[in-house]
Amino acid sequence: MTVVSATCPRRDRSGEIVFTGVSEDGELRECPDCSSEVAVDPRCNEVLHVEEEP
Ligand SMILES: [Zn+2]
């Protein structure tokens, strides 16, 4: 099981958010902190917040 951890840059809150069971190719999840869509990439151990169109 792939686990990717990150911090949410959109909320002034400490602590990591952890995504478990991530597909090896990466997948879209919902950030538990800000409820935005995030692209989770286990290969880079990276979580990118998808920018929302205004
Ligand atoms: Zn977030």
Side-chain angles (χ1 to χ4, degrees), residues 12 23 29 41 47 53:
D12 187 17
S23 165
R29 293 288 187 93
D41 186 352
V47 176
E53 296 295 331

Side-chain angles (χ1 to χ4, degrees):
M1 183 187 286
T2 308
V3 177
V4 180
S5 62
T7 55
C8 178
R10 294 189 175 182
R11 251 174 107 168
D12 187 17
R13 171 169 151 178
S14 60
E16 288 197 319
I17 51 178
V18 178
F19 300 90
T20 58
V22 180
S23 165
E24 287 183 10
D25 293 331
E27 60 184 67
L28 293 173
R29 293 288 187 93
E30 182 179 286
C31 177
D33 272 4
C34 67
S35 297
S36 291
E37 193 170 46
V38 289
V40 184
D41 186 352
R43 288 169 297 186
C44 299
N45 196 35
E46 203 169 53
V47 176
L48 295 174
H49 283 66
V50 178
E51 292 298 326
E52 293 175 359
E53 296 295 331

